[in-house]
DNA sequence: CGACCGATTGATTTTTGTCAACAAAGGTGG
DNA sequence: CCACCTTTGTTGACAAAAATCAATCGGTCG
């Protein structure tokens, strides 16, 4: 990744944006598109830690250090802006506002990661999938990235859902089919609609 | 939890030290004993997020905010020191050394949580248990809390291991029995020894 | 003593993964 | 534009992993 500040970069779908091992001189912020942050295991399987949407800092912790075996990959075509790492770090230590902004981001990320731990540790496969979808829809709503009341563009493949929920793609497929059969959601052609929000939240064990 | 700074508090095993909902005026640091941080689910099951050993700050994020449904519980008798939250926060924003100390703690915690995500999402039950045990032994070694080369005091009950690894106590029991049968570990009377470190690490898929 | 907690074990069920086959969609190079 | 190849989604049969249920037993603590 080039180190030039402020320049907008474009990455095609399925390409890697950065790896934990890279010594990063810049911190990317997503401008458009979806990305994922994941850990690769030696056996070839992987665990997605988070999905990154426009406005997301690519791992706040990258400000300080990198992480082994973790990487960020584009799901759709992604554009991002690279900010100078040292400059950001400087801003954080000198400006209180920047510091608390960072603290808030860290906080949100931490909370999301811990919710993921709870989901993976203590919830059923269908709960995990439903919660993942609802969480993403809520984040898209916050960004006004909706195409209808409960309808959004949804570029994830079933294997993304599998890698995020700790399941196999085949099993994800079967459970999504079941959600469709029960008319809780509609999902086709990269478009998702939650048809029965109340019932779907119930399936996710929310509210 | 009283707000008096620097005072050492004592909590009996199985008692709650603090809850996320509490508006905390102080931040506890464990002086002796083991504690756990966990999330409770409505159905009564729970997910342990981390075990706290002497020297650990009870959730660095408590410096800024609290978290719903998460709580800290004593496993053994625990003593902790309560530090004033605002003072600590002040120190962090004014002293660079304190700031980077906090950043490092945050970092370690983040890394551990993400490793937990990977374990829960992508590893088998026996790998999870072995990794949990090895991680704890390593942390105890760092603190010189060992009673032999690969031997430590180990106050966890099987249900603690179950709640940390997202398994049932019954299943944990069976897998621990298998580790014992294979003579990888010895575990009885709150004492743990890793008899065959190489084989046990292999079971954990480490190194 | 009696109640509870924790560990253990076996039988059985549920959940999830694996394997295999196939079809639709989409991109690529000729 | 077509032929080919890869990716993605789908389905069914079967296997493995883990949960559930149930019973027992030994401590520990009022």
């Amino acid at each position: 990744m080039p180190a030039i500040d402020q320049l907008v970069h474009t990455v095609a779908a399925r390409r890697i944006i950065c790896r934990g091992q890279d010594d990063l001189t810049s911190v990317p912020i997503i401008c458009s598109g979806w990305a994922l942050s994941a850990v690769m295991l030696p056996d070839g399987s992987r665990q997605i830690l988070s999905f990154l949407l426009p406005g997301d800092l690519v791992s706040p912790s990258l400000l300080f250090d990198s992480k082994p075996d973790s990487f960020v990959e584009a799901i759709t075509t992604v554009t991002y802006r690279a900010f100078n790492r040292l400059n950001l770090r400087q801003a954080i230590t000198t400006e209180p506002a920047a510091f608390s902004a960072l603290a808030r981001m860290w906080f949100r990320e931490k909370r999301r990661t811990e919710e993921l731990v709870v989901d993976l540790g203590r919830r059923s496969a269908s709960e995990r999938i439903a919660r993942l979808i609802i969480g993403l829809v809520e984040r898209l709503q916050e960004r006004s990235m909706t195409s209808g009341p409960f309808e959004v563009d949804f570029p994830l493949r079933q294997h993304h859902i599998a890698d995020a929920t700790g399941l196999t793609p085949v099993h994800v497929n079967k459970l999504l089919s079941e959600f469709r059969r029960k008319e809780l959601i509609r999902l086709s052609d990269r478009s998702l609609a939650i048809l029965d929000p109340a019932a779907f939240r119930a399936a996710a064990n929310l509210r």
Side-chain angles (χ1 to χ4, degrees), chain A:
Chain A
M1 193 172 61
I4 299 146
D5 215 355
Q6 299 286 357
L7 193 64
V8 172
H9 303 263
T10 302
V11 176
R14 314 228 242 101
R15 288 271 141 57
I16 285 178
I17 297 176
C18 66
R19 293 178 205 278
Q21 299 89 347
D22 298 351
D23 81 315
L24 298 169
T25 54
S26 59
V27 179
I29 291 184
I30 308 288
C31 296
S32 69
W34 291 40
L36 64 84
S37 155
V39 173
M40 203 73 191
L41 297 184
D43 70 353
S45 68
R46 68 184 192 176
Q47 176 64 45
I48 293 178
L49 300 172
S50 64
F51 292 105
L52 304 172
L53 302 180
D56 285 340
L57 193 59
V58 170
S59 192
S61 57
L62 287 182
L63 277 173
F64 295 96
D65 202 351
S66 57
K67 221 175 331 132
D69 302 322
S70 128
F71 64 95
V72 176
E73 185 183 303
I75 294 171
T76 63
T77 298
V78 164
T79 60
Y80 66 89
R81 219 174 267 274
F83 287 88
N84 183 286
R85 194 175 165 186
L86 292 178
N87 289 354
L88 278 183
R89 208 169 157 166
Q90 184 71 17
I92 284 152
T93 44
T94 56
E95 294 188 47
F99 174 75
S100 48
L102 176 75
R104 251 175 292 127
M105 291 194 65
W106 238 332
F107 209 68
R108 247 204 313 277
E109 195 195 24
K110 179 185 158 67
R111 180 186 306 245
R112 258 209 289 276
T113 308
E114 291 186 346
E115 270 169 20
L116 181 56
V117 167
V118 175
D119 289 352
L120 295 175
R122 287 299 183 209
R123 297 191 203 275
S124 70
S126 54
E127 280 175 298
R128 283 183 240 172
I129 294 174
R131 294 176 85 93
L132 172 66
I133 290 175
I134 290 172
L136 285 168
V137 169
E138 283 174 354
R139 287 170 67 194
L140 291 167
Q141 284 169 344
E142 285 167 16
R143 281 155 232 252
S144 305
M145 291 172 68
T146 57
S147 50
F150 282 96
E151 190 157 355
V152 296
D153 284 346
F154 195 81
L156 297 191
R157 310 294 168 149
Q158 293 181 355
H159 72 261
H160 292 125
I161 298 177
D163 286 341
T165 53
L167 301 167
T168 57
V170 176
H171 198 53
V172 168
N173 181 291
K174 288 171 184 175
L175 295 175
L176 284 178
S177 301
E178 200 172 318
F179 285 145
R180 275 190 280 243
R181 195 177 47 68
K182 291 182 186 165
E183 306 203 341
L184 301 183
I185 62 171
R186 186 171 49 63
L187 177 54
S188 60
D189 303 316
R190 318 292 139 221
S191 169
L192 166 77
I194 298 179
L195 301 176
D196 188 340
F200 194 53
R201 290 187 81 84
N205 228 323
L206 275 167
R207 278 278 177 71

